[in-house]
Amino acid sequence: MEGKELAAGSGGDEGSKDALGKPLGPTPSQSRFQVDLVAEGPRKSCGDLGVAGKGGEEAKGRFRVNFVDPSAGGESPGEPGGGSSEGGNVSGVQNGGDTVMSEGSLHSGGHHHYYYDTHTNTYYLRTFGHNTMDAVPRIDHYRQTAADLGEKLLRPSLAELHDELDKEPFEDGYANGEEGTPAGDAAAAYTPDSKGVVKFGWIKGVLVRCMLNIWGVMLFIRLSWIVGQAGIGLSVLVIGMATVVTTITGLSTSAIATNGFVRGGGAYYLISRSLGPEFGGAIGLIFAFANAVAVAMYVVGFAETVVELLKENGTLMIDEMNDIRIIGAITVVILLGISIAGMEWEAKAQIVLLVILILAIGDFVIGTFIPLDSKKPKGFFGYKAEIFMENFGPDFRQEETFFSVFAIFFPAATGILAGANISGDLADPQSAIPKGTLLAILITTLVYVGIAVSVGSCVVRDATGNVNDTIVTELTNCTAAACKLNYDFSSCQSPAGCHYGLMNNFQVMSMVSGFAPLISAGIFSATLSSALASLVSAPKIFQALCKDNIYPGFQMFAKGYGKNNEPLRGYILTFLIALGFILIAELNVIAPIISNFFLASYALINFSVFHASLAKSPGWRPAFKYYNMWISLVGAILCCIVMFVINWWAALLTYVIVLGLYIYVTYKKPDVNWGSSTQALTYLNALQHSIRLSGVEDHVKNFRPQCLIMTGAPNARPALLHLVHAFTKNVGLMICGHVHMGPRRQAMKELSTDLAKYQRWLIKNKMKAFYAPVHAEDLRDGGQYLMQAAGLGRMRPNTLVVGFKKNWRQGDMRDVETYINLFHDAFDVQYGVVVIRLQEGLDISHLQGQDLLSSQEKSPCTKDVIVKVDYSKKSETDTSIAFAPSSSERTPTPRKEEDEDGKTSTQPLLNKDSKSLSSPLNLADQRLLDASSQFQKKQGKSNIDVWWLFDDGGLTLLIPYLITTKKKWKDCKIRVFIGGKINRIDHDRRAMATLLSKFRIDFSDIMVLGDINTKPKKENIAAFEEMIEPFRLHEDDKEQEVADKMKEDEPWRITDNELELYKTKTYRQIRLNELLKEHSSTANIIVMSLPVARKGAVSSALYMAWLEVLSKDLPPILLVRGNHQSVLTFYS
């Protein structure tokens, strides 16, 4: 049998195999249940997988069973799983058949699954006392189909354990007699090759990166200025506020990152898998762009420092601006080279830069303890209480405020996602991201606070730098700290100002430090490390975004190269964006936008945690417990507030961009399903509202037609579906009922496949409807099940809609009996009934292959095995007979037409076996096809004729009104026809006009038919009698016993007595048809009261004949009968 072997270990744990390539398993003396650490292997795209066996052939069965002598086997039992990598042979049994593997690798759409046989396992015999097909719990059963983390094993399905076998079990060595591939065709197991793949631990991968990204130029150039403006107290508050935002975001990131396996894509991956593709797609794009522009920002910061040094030494190349461009361009090319060399090189460069950065910080700290006399005129006196006291309070100048200072500092606190952004390159992202991120926030905050306090305690705000400003005599009016230390810097208060001190000199840290060039090296290190981290993050996020195919135009950037799946194309794109912004060299405008982009993603990460907790999804179980949904919500709100604090117009711009992308992705509806919290919350809301609705009594003002339509397969009767959709869309419930008959086992299989398939079809065709299949012995039972059980709470059908049974005279009359009994059953459960008739018919299933969406359509990689079964060869009656026209005709079996890419075709195809695609349809079929799509088009200026002959509660009037509220029907006018007496026509018209105006229903005309009871034409009566002749009992011409027996066997037959009794009613139906032809032959649709037949008194054949004669040779007609409870009211 094709396709059944086990992966030899996962992730290529080479050390755990013995020389024969078998994994070393537990020895018999060890405990029965052993937990093994599973190393997750590298991810490969579907296209990279080797394909064994024949192209796209599906597997024919699942279990290959070998009978094994338990005494045979190796020395040590292997863990279930193993395989030889030599010569393509797979080891079949390890130590007495602990796991039996069959040969060949199973693939579907290019993806490998492995099945393993448990039936002959001695492990099961030893453990449970008997052999069983059941599989014990193991991690490989829970892998996603789409993930190449290791090999996916498929546990036996419920059907395989529970269904009866078709014949003697395994008589030819295969389950259920399926054929298999000979052992000689064995293919080698696919084992991911992990050699050369670089995976980082929490320190190298997260802690180092985050610390480098958080410590930016701000630390060396701006922090001293912030202390000068805000004072030590408020500076610590600024740092604290920024830390609160980043810490809450860090906790939220940790919660999401520990809720399941994290792949590459960082912030984008976390948000998209939590909130869904709409938010994820919006943030992914701006976050990747923000990182790309951040590269330019950091590189320009570096270039500016270099140009400052060149200027001091008088060695400028051209002028300041162009020097920045030249140095920036050279730097970004070098950084690109390091990135493309691979993650290992990039990580080494980061370590070197961190060492330089720490040395620079150490250099500053040492410098604070050695105050030199030469530095005193510049304002540095060492740690002095007087300076601390003076600098503790704020001294805002040049129109700076607390919030403007906060806005300048906050970007220095960002960078906490640097580790999460390379989540795909971490050995264990679940443990590394929380540990590394939170520790990095703690360390960097302490350093920021420490430096702010120390620089504020050592350096005064203003200093002249002039050695001669020492105080010789005591000054009485000088209270500044400098005066107490014998320096007079009062000249700084003049408009000219000074060049030294916290307020005036950005290079205070260089001045304080023991060795100034080391601070310059620290600035270089801080800028380059942040640039490098951003240059790596942007392509990785963008690659993950492109792999998910949310923006189809960017698909080319999804491709990765080499062992590490490096996004080289993304690197080049990031490089070009960064280079472009470096050449602009005006980053003061860009900086606030970038900060806001980062903050938008922080806000959504926090919101994701709140949303997931609110949705109460059972799948939300983060291993990291130190989070709180309300704190996360506060974090999200804080992020939004900070966006406005930093720059209000940039915040608005960010909101507009995110909203625009969100709307675009929502509109495109990417075909993905990640089990997002949005999905979970939608379910929770629906559930809570349904329960709340159940506690409210129905009111006539809120009546909605909630229709159960007997469609069979929904795509078989599109006209029926579209017409009902015209009055239920956004108004009421619409359920498509489908009764499967025939052998139960077969029908059960069809039910489960049809449910997903047809619901997808309805959604794809923008039908706001549900699909409800049931299995029943016959049509009537199925209809009863649906009427009793369909719906939920108050959202239950109240109207049965069926198509007219067009071929009733040619088919089995027992079908007619069943069909008419459906009406009686509907009236019994207080349903209204609507019968829809098109002269051409409704059923187009014989004109199209029922090859609809398969649930595996999403991508060739995720497809599971599809077994093609063609039941059409069987002679038994079809299992999906539908209610309505041509129900006795066989509906073609659903067949899957596979496109070359493995996706199932979604276009309705003409049946290939009956006609070639090119052959034209006959005239009747062409008319049927045209009629089936007539309600999808815009209906022009024409009439909807309402023949409201009997008061059924108002449903006959409500349906046409609802139809005219829809865009396609809005030009149609309602004409109302009522019965009346010749001498009271005006009175009746006025009465009806008053009623309609009270109901607030617009109408164009009211016609009172005074000749409704006139005897119909003789030829029409004769035609009716001729039509019912074959169905009459003629009991007067037979003996009593024979007639009674015949009536009992064929209860649908029309008796002479019944025909005489209902003669008037029969004539009325014939007469109404004449009037309909006279008045309404040009209407778009006719809505008419459905005649009611008394149960047990009127035979099915007579009732069917009434409906036939009433509705024949007319435009589309709806015969409507409400349940005689008011559905209209004129009370407010």
Side-chain angles (χ1 to χ4, degrees):
M1 168 160 71
E2 188 174 340
K4 293 180 199 148
E5 81 220 355
L6 218 51
S10 45
D13 241 350
E14 300 299 329
S16 66
K17 295 185 185 176
D18 63 15
L20 295 171
K22 298 176 189 173
L24 299 170
T27 59
S29 62
Q30 284 174 325
S31 73
R32 180 192 311 165
F33 296 102
Q34 171 168 329
V35 179
D36 290 313
L37 287 174
V38 177
E40 302 293 17
R43 306 199 331 277
K44 288 199 171 206
S45 64
C46 323
D48 296 342
L49 294 171
V51 175
K54 296 172 190 170
E57 191 182 338
E58 285 85 352
K60 301 237 174 26
R62 286 181 76 161
F63 288 118
R64 167 80 188 268
V65 179
N66 298 323
F67 287 82
V68 179
D69 177 10
S71 62
E75 296 77 41
S76 73
E79 178 203 335
S84 162
S85 55
E86 300 166 24
N89 291 323
V90 177
S91 74
V93 185
Q94 295 167 8
N95 194 31
D98 201 48
T99 297
V100 176
M101 287 165 298
S102 50
E103 308 77 8
S105 75
L106 180 105
H107 58 278
S108 169
H111 195 89
H112 289 238
H113 300 302
Y114 296 90
Y115 300 93
Y116 73 146
D117 167 41
T118 57
H119 191 64
T120 51
N121 261 342
T122 55
Y123 169 81
Y124 288 79
L125 193 58
R126 292 197 304 272
T127 307
F128 301 109
H130 71 285
N131 264 4
T132 172
M133 264 186 171
D134 257 350
V136 289
R138 53 178 294 166
I139 193 170
D140 299 304
H141 294 140
Y142 293 90
R143 297 191 194 284
Q144 282 183 11
T145 320
D148 305 313
L149 303 169
E151 302 311 337
K152 175 176 171 58
L153 294 182
L154 295 183
R155 66 179 74 79
S157 73
L158 195 58
E160 281 153 353
L161 294 174
H162 171 250
D163 281 6
E164 42 193 276
L165 294 165
D166 289 341
K167 52 180 178 177
E168 284 302 306
F170 318 135
E171 61 185 30
D172 53 359
Y174 298 97
N176 290 349
E178 298 285 8
E179 296 177 9
T181 49
D185 295 346
Y190 162 69
T191 308
D193 184 2
S194 62
K195 289 176 187 171
V197 174
V198 179
K199 295 283 181 186
F200 301 117
W202 71 274
I203 295 178
K204 209 173 178 183
V206 183
L207 182 68
V208 170
R209 262 165 215 290
C210 287
M211 281 166 60
L212 280 169
N213 233 19
I214 295 168
W215 282 332
V217 190
M218 218 53 90
L219 181 67
F220 297 105
I221 296 179
R222 285 286 187 280
L223 192 57
S224 57
W225 176 84
I226 288 168
V227 172
Q229 291 279 359
I232 295 169
L234 290 183
S235 296
V236 172
L237 184 62
V238 162
I239 296 166
M241 281 170 60
T243 304
V244 166
V245 174
T246 54
T247 305
I248 293 174
T249 307
L251 292 170
S252 298
T253 307
S254 304
I256 301 178
T258 57
N259 188 49
F261 186 78
V262 178
R263 296 208 189 90
Y268 159 71
Y269 186 85
L270 298 179
I271 293 170
S272 63
R273 296 313 188 269
S274 184
L275 285 178
E278 296 85 4
F279 277 118
I283 282 299
L285 204 56
I286 68 164
F287 196 63
F289 179 73
N291 271 294
V293 180
V295 176
M297 248 172 56
Y298 297 129
V299 168
V300 168
F302 166 76
E304 280 179 355
T305 315
V306 174
V307 170
E308 282 289 319
L309 291 174
L310 291 177
K311 205 163 76 175
E312 282 175 24
N313 300 319
T315 52
L316 282 177
M317 291 179 275
I318 306 165
D319 55 50
E320 271 191 58
M321 186 62 85
N322 285 318
D323 278 16
I324 290 173
R325 287 173 179 156
I326 293 163
I327 293 164
I330 294 166
T331 310
V332 82
V333 169
I334 294 167
L335 292 178
L336 178 70
I338 293 171
S339 303
I340 287 180
M343 289 297 286
E344 189 64 27
W345 282 94
E346 191 263 351
K348 284 173 185 166
Q350 294 279 30
I351 297 281
V352 172
L353 292 170
L354 182 67
V355 170
I356 296 170
L357 200 55
I358 290 169
L359 286 174
I361 294 167
D363 176 36
F364 164 78
V365 173
I366 292 164
T368 58
F369 289 103
I370 39 175
L372 300 172
D373 286 344
S374 61
K375 292 181 183 175
K376 284 184 178 177
K378 293 180 180 177
F380 170 52
F381 295 94
Y383 291 99
K384 300 287 181 196
E386 299 93 328
I387 299 177
F388 179 82
M389 293 307 292
E390 184 180 270
N391 287 346
F392 192 80
D395 181 14
F396 293 114
R397 300 182 197 169
Q398 295 153 350
E399 299 182 358
E400 295 292 346
T401 63
F402 175 76
F403 286 111
S404 69
V405 169
F406 176 75
I408 286 165
F409 174 77
F410 189 82
T414 58
I416 57 166
L417 294 181
N421 285 342
I422 60 153
S423 51
D425 296 294
L426 299 174
D428 181 10
Q430 285 197 340
S431 134
I433 291 173
K435 228 186 294 183
T437 306
L438 295 172
L439 192 58
I441 292 171
L442 179 68
I443 293 170
T444 51
T445 304
L446 290 176
V447 170
Y448 273 134
V449 171
I451 290 179
V453 172
S454 64
V455 82
S457 309
C458 297
V459 186
V460 293
R461 282 191 166 108
D462 298 291
T464 57
N466 189 347
V467 184
N468 299 326
D469 282 345
T470 48
I471 300 171
V472 181
T473 57
E474 187 72 29
L475 289 174
T476 53
N477 62 346
C478 183
T479 55
C483 297
K484 295 172 189 170
L485 298 167
N486 300 328
Y487 273 85
D488 177 16
F489 296 142
S490 55
S491 60
C492 291
Q493 305 302 326
S494 66
C498 303
H499 295 294
Y500 292 98
L502 295 176
M503 292 295 228
N504 312 305
N505 182 13
F506 287 151
Q507 303 292 339
V508 165
M509 287 187 71
S510 297
M511 185 261 292
V512 172
S513 65
F515 182 60
L518 200 51
I519 296 291
S520 294
I523 294 172
F524 295 165
S525 164
T527 49
L528 294 179
S529 62
S530 297
L532 198 52
S534 296
L535 186 57
V536 170
S537 298
K540 296 269 181 193
I541 296 162
F542 196 53
Q543 182 186 31
L545 180 69
C546 297
K547 270 187 178 168
D548 289 334
N549 201 18
I550 286 176
Y551 302 104
F554 295 142
Q555 189 64 32
M556 59 178 287
F557 292 104
K559 187 168 169 55
Y561 297 85
K563 299 272 185 193
N564 263 20
N565 201 24
E566 293 289 352
L568 295 188
R569 294 173 180 181
Y571 280 129
I572 302 299
L573 182 67
T574 306
F575 165 74
L576 292 173
I577 293 170
L579 191 61
F581 281 99
I582 287 166
L583 296 178
I584 293 168
E586 277 296 327
L587 288 176
N588 288 351
V589 182
I590 302 294
I593 299 177
I594 300 310
S595 297
N596 275 332
F597 279 5
F598 283 128
L599 274 164
S601 51
Y602 292 177
L604 276 180
I605 286 175
N606 285 316
F607 184 69
S608 299
V609 171
F610 169 74
H611 202 267
S613 306
L614 188 69
K616 298 186 180 73
S617 170
W620 173 249
R621 330 181 269 282
F624 182 85
K625 299 295 180 197
Y626 306 104
Y627 72 93
N628 177 283
M629 63 185 281
W630 299 109
I631 289 175
S632 292
L633 181 63
V634 168
I637 294 166
L638 279 176
C639 287
C640 294
I641 293 168
V642 171
M643 285 169 75
F644 277 99
V645 168
I646 289 178
N647 190 306
W648 67 267
W649 62 261
L652 287 176
L653 183 67
T654 307
Y655 287 142
V656 167
I657 292 171
V658 171
L659 190 64
L661 291 170
Y662 177 87
I663 291 166
Y664 170 78
V665 178
T666 309
Y667 174 73
K668 295 296 277 187
K669 286 195 182 68
D671 192 8
V672 291
N673 182 5
W674 294 322
S676 67
S677 59
T678 313
Q679 238 173 314
L681 197 62
T682 305
Y683 171 81
L684 197 64
N685 286 338
L687 183 64
Q688 287 170 345
H689 284 106
S690 300
I691 290 166
R692 199 177 305 158
L693 195 62
S694 297
V696 181
E697 282 299 317
D698 284 331
H699 192 280
V700 63
K701 280 199 294 189
N702 291 327
F703 175 85
R704 295 159 185 272
Q706 309 207 86
C707 298
L708 169 64
I709 324 174
M710 297 309 202
T711 55
N715 64 334
R717 294 170 179 79
L720 190 65
L721 216 60
H722 286 108
L723 187 52
V724 177
H725 196 240
F727 62 85
T728 60
K729 182 187 176 185
N730 298 333
V731 173
L733 180 71
M734 175 166 154
I735 295 178
C736 300
H738 188 176
V739 178
H740 289 258
M741 294 175 287
R744 187 173 181 279
R745 186 176 174 188
Q746 179 50 44
M748 285 300 149
K749 283 181 188 169
E750 283 181 11
L751 280 186
S752 55
T753 54
D754 282 1
L755 188 59
K757 182 169 70 175
Y758 288 126
Q759 192 60 56
R760 262 178 88 90
W761 184 88
L762 288 167
I763 291 165
K764 190 173 188 304
N765 287 276
K766 298 190 170 76
M767 290 282 164
K768 297 192 175 178
F770 298 96
Y771 172 69
V774 290
H775 172 258
E777 291 302 314
D778 65 26
L779 212 57
R780 186 178 183 186
D781 285 350
Q784 286 176 340
Y785 299 160
L786 284 166
M787 283 186 272
Q788 290 172 58
L792 186 72
R794 292 263 172 245
M795 292 194 298
R796 302 177 71 88
N798 53 27
T799 308
L800 177 74
V801 182
V802 294
F804 180 76
K805 194 168 179 61
K806 188 184 171 197
N807 64 336
W808 66 278
R809 281 178 290 173
Q810 290 80 42
D812 187 339
M813 284 308 288
R814 280 172 301 189
D815 288 346
V816 176
E817 181 79 5
T818 304
Y819 178 73
I820 297 301
N821 280 332
L822 265 179
F823 295 11
H824 296 312
D825 295 337
F827 290 137
D828 285 347
V829 291
Q830 291 294 298
Y831 270 50
V833 173
V834 178
V835 182
I836 297 178
R837 179 173 190 180
L838 269 64
Q839 293 314 307
E840 298 83 3
L842 290 165
D843 188 2
I844 63 164
S845 55
H846 59 289
L847 300 179
Q848 61 174 19
Q850 306 263 331
D851 50 312
L852 297 169
L853 289 165
S854 90
S855 54
Q856 285 93 7
E857 187 200 20
K858 293 165 196 168
S859 87
C861 304
T862 60
K863 281 182 66 177
D864 226 318
V865 183
I866 289 178
V867 181
K868 271 195 186 174
V869 185
D870 187 5
Y871 301 110
S872 56
K873 294 180 187 128
K874 297 183 182 175
S875 57
E876 58 198 63
T877 54
D878 180 46
T879 58
S880 56
I881 294 174
F883 299 80
S886 316
S887 60
S888 61
E889 293 177 21
R890 291 177 37 90
T891 311
T893 307
R895 288 177 303 129
K896 291 193 170 139
E897 301 290 341
E898 297 283 333
D899 290 348
E900 285 174 15
D901 64 353
K903 291 189 182 179
T904 311
S905 161
T906 59
Q907 294 301 316
L909 297 173
L910 292 172
N911 232 354
K912 291 182 181 176
D913 44 23
S914 58
K915 305 178 179 70
S916 72
L917 281 173
S918 56
S919 67
L921 296 170
N922 64 39
L923 196 60
D925 282 347
Q926 188 58 56
R927 278 188 187 149
L928 173 58
L929 213 52
D930 292 344
S932 71
S933 62
Q934 65 180 322
F935 301 123
Q936 297 174 43
K937 306 184 185 98
K938 186 167 172 58
Q939 309 295 314
K941 290 189 176 180
S942 59
N943 295 317
I944 296 177
D945 285 359
V946 181
W947 290 62
W948 196 16
L949 304 178
F950 307 105
D951 191 346
D952 57 353
L955 187 65
T956 312
L957 194 58
L958 182 63
I959 287 176
Y961 164 73
L962 290 173
I963 290 175
T964 57
T965 61
K966 296 299 181 284
K967 200 159 65 174
K968 285 176 185 154
W969 296 84
K970 70 175 191 299
D971 294 334
C972 294
K973 297 278 186 285
I974 293 178
R975 292 195 305 180
V976 180
F977 294 79
I978 53 170
K981 291 185 179 167
I982 297 271
N983 56 355
R984 290 175 47 127
I985 283 181
D986 283 347
H987 175 271
D988 290 346
R989 182 186 281 119
R990 278 198 301 276
M992 179 52 68
T994 307
L995 182 60
L996 291 177
S997 62
K998 282 197 171 180
F999 285 148
R1000 305 168 306 286
I1001 288 176
D1002 290 333
F1003 58 91
S1004 66
D1005 196 7
I1006 295 175
M1007 294 188 71
V1008 182
L1009 305 166
D1011 51 352
I1012 202 163
N1013 290 322
T1014 311
K1015 194 175 179 186
K1017 294 174 186 168
K1018 284 183 182 168
E1019 61 266 27
N1020 290 336
I1021 296 172
F1024 178 80
E1025 285 173 349
E1026 188 186 331
M1027 176 176 73
I1028 63 167
E1029 184 58 39
F1031 312 116
R1032 289 182 62 177
L1033 183 63
H1034 290 296
E1035 73 270 24
D1036 294 348
D1037 304 341
K1038 296 183 174 68
E1039 289 181 15
Q1040 184 69 33
E1041 280 183 21
V1042 175
D1044 289 350
K1045 180 81 172 70
M1046 202 171 172
K1047 182 67 179 168
E1048 193 181 322
D1049 293 344
E1050 297 176 340
W1052 42 266
R1053 287 208 177 267
I1054 305 167
T1055 62
D1056 296 346
N1057 182 31
E1058 170 191 7
L1059 202 57
E1060 190 57 40
L1061 193 61
Y1062 291 108
K1063 189 175 187 177
T1064 316
K1065 199 161 185 177
T1066 302
Y1067 283 175
R1068 187 186 301 135
Q1069 311 312 322
I1070 302 170
R1071 176 65 186 146
L1072 280 171
N1073 181 256
E1074 292 172 3
L1075 290 168
L1076 281 161
K1077 284 177 183 167
E1078 183 184 330
H1079 295 289
S1080 295
S1081 56
T1082 58
N1084 253 24
I1085 53 171
I1086 301 168
V1087 182
M1088 185 170 199
S1089 298
L1090 172 76
V1092 177
R1094 191 170 293 283
K1095 193 164 44 169
V1098 179
S1099 60
S1100 302
L1102 181 60
Y1103 189 33
M1104 200 69 215
W1106 285 351
L1107 299 183
E1108 169 72 42
V1109 75
L1110 177 64
S1111 60
K1112 71 174 182 181
D1113 303 330
L1114 289 169
I1117 183 167
L1118 282 75
L1119 299 172
V1120 178
R1121 177 64 69 151
N1123 63 0
H1124 287 247
Q1125 289 170 0
S1126 295
V1127 302
L1128 295 170
T1129 180
F1130 45 79
Y1131 295 109
S1132 59

